[in-house]
């Protein structure tokens, strides 16, 4: 009985410690994101290039789908 009570108490304390640590980490991450938003950081210049590549890929897919819809083989 005593061993079970000690084990249950230990598990409860460890769980509480993990919850507190996770909560602090979450709040720290949210604060970091708030600071990044407040600083008005610009996205990296590479994202503009990535967007253009994605748009070109979407346009290519659209042309293929239009060709399939009209019955043209590519």
């Amino acid at each position: 009985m005593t061993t079970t009570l000690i084990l249950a108490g230990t598990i409860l304390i460890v769980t509480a410690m993990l919850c507190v640590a996770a909560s602090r980490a979450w709040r720290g991450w949210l604060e970091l994101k708030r600071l990044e938003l407040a600083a008005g950081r610009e996205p990296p210049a590479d994202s503009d290039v990535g967007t253009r590549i994605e748009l070109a890929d979407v346009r290519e897919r659209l042309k293929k789908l239009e060709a399939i819809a009209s019955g043209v083989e590519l």
Side-chain angles (χ1 to χ4, degrees), residues 17-47:
M17 289 170 50
L18 288 173
C19 288
V20 168
S23 175
R24 285 186 182 179
W26 177 251
R27 279 187 264 145
W29 184 80
L30 287 177
E31 185 62 28
L32 174 68
K33 292 301 174 183
R34 271 193 212 106
L35 290 172
E36 286 178 354
L37 287 173
R41 269 182 26 175
E42 293 288 323
D46 296 340
S47 68

Side-chain angles (χ1 to χ4, degrees), residues 3 8-9 16-17 24-25 33-34 39 54-55 58 60-61 64:
T3 307
M17 289 170 50
R24 285 186 182 179
K33 292 301 174 183
R34 271 193 212 106
E54 286 181 30
L55 283 175
V58 169
E60 183 180 331
R61 288 182 192 174
K64 288 180 182 178

